[in-house]
Amino acid sequence: MKIKEFINEFEKLIPIKQAEDFDNVGLLCGNPERGISGILVAHDALESVIDEAIEKNFNLVVCFHPIVFSGLKSITGKNYVERAVLKALENKIAIYAIHTAFDNDYFGVNYKICEVLGLTDQKILMPKQNQLKKLEVYVPVDSAENLKNALFQAGSGNIGFYDECSFSINGNGTFRPLEGSSPVTGNHNERENADEVLVSVIFEDFKKNQILSAMKQNHPYEEVAYQLISLDNENHYTGLGRFGDLEVEMDEKDFLQFVKDKFDLKVIRHSSLIDKKIKKVGVLGGSGASGIKSALASKCDAYLTGDVKYHDFFSAEDKMLICDIGHFESEQFVTQQLFEILSEKFTIFAIAKTTKKTNPVNYFI
């Protein structure tokens, strides 16, 4: 299997286009035409990880964080980013990063955090905005079912844990073929009445091109009558963060010890204790101070994330316990998650987790 073929199949599982706009995801370096000898899964594609890939004779590293985040004006090995990329290029090793595409995925980073905490009644903390579109297309009655099937196959009609969702209205359409047209039915310069169906489906914006392509390829008319409508609806199955309920509410100190044990933490930085019972918990893996307001709005009793700055802790407003458990620590399950996803989907080449430590933060206790 070529790298480009792997990417095409992998992105059916975790669409790269659901990543945040600021992110740098996908194939960061390497020849997409090259065949895969093996995949090494890592949190960060550091030079030590590239060395391990060389030792294993693997030529693709699938990582969570993009080693190249901002533009490189040169690649001479003068810093840790350039050294990793340079060594990968010299040894014909490709690097593919998933990052916020997996953060936003329903079964991604934050799903696992909630699973570890045993949270129930889970919801997305910050659902994707301005992502959903509706396609309305008019099609002859006898072609409606075939068109719907094609649209479903292209990825439309998926709503949460339902697929092949659509709505249809029967009606009568008119058109008059002019000279130069090639109508399926009717004669030039004569008005035609046709029994038609208005088919409506919803889809994520990043699927637009493939949806429209499927529509045009499977529609009998020379000129397809359709419209795209941008929806204000939030996508409640894609977005950053999550929140849910503990099975049994806890005192703040008991909750902090519970989190410490579950995540095997040496320390937790937290806001002031306010003598509040903890039941509803929000989470956002990585640098998640941006989710504090959403957690408050969702009436969370506690919020777990990483990289919380001094002034961010004041944002708790004595209404919620903010817990900084560490950037890497909040994402510590990602490598195993990706390894399991890849191992189940791809069985024709070796897949392994890195043995290298990539967390740059250390603690002196």
Side-chain angles (χ1 to χ4, degrees), residues 18 21 37 43 59-60 71 107 109 122 135 144 157 169 178 187 200 207 236 262-263 268 274 295 327 348:
Q18 67 187 14
D21 293 338
S37 61
H43 202 94
N59 66 348
L60 176 59
F107 293 107
V109 178
Q122 297 179 28
L135 169 66
I169 302 175
L178 301 178
N187 300 311
S200 300
K207 297 177 181 177
H236 289 286
K262 286 291 184 180
F263 287 80
I268 299 177
I274 52 177
H327 189 124
I348 59 175

Side-chain angles (χ1 to χ4, degrees), residues 1-31:
M1 176 179 281
K2 293 181 178 180
I3 291 173
K4 69 177 184 180
E5 295 169 336
F6 160 80
I7 292 173
N8 182 60
E9 292 302 312
F10 185 42
E11 291 183 3
K12 291 178 182 178
L13 302 174
I14 307 172
I16 206 72
K17 291 183 180 179
Q18 67 187 14
E20 296 296 302
D21 293 338
F22 66 79
D23 208 359
N24 187 36
V25 292
L27 187 63
L28 303 183
C29 70
N31 182 357

Side-chain angles (χ1 to χ4, degrees), residues 24 40 117 160 177 232 234 247 280-281 291 311:
N24 187 36
L40 187 62
L117 293 172
D232 290 334
E234 295 177 336
E247 291 188 1
K280 183 177 290 186
V281 180
H311 292 285

Side-chain angles (χ1 to χ4, degrees), residues 42-111:
H43 202 94
D44 300 273
L46 304 179
E47 186 178 10
S48 60
V49 173
I50 304 303
D51 285 333
E52 186 176 8
I54 295 170
E55 293 169 7
K56 287 180 162 59
N57 194 32
F58 289 0
N59 66 348
L60 176 59
V61 173
V62 173
C63 56
F64 181 62
H65 287 145
I67 185 69
V68 180
F69 194 76
S70 54
L72 294 177
K73 293 187 176 181
S74 64
I75 304 177
T76 60
K78 61 180 175 290
N79 56 45
Y80 82 96
V81 173
E82 292 186 14
R83 285 192 295 274
V85 174
L86 185 60
K87 182 166 286 189
L89 291 172
E90 289 176 337
N91 290 275
K92 299 181 179 180
I93 294 172
I95 301 176
Y96 180 95
I98 196 74
H99 204 206
T100 57
F102 201 44
D103 281 316
N104 279 315
D105 196 77
Y106 189 83
F107 293 107
V109 178
N110 300 293
Y111 172 84

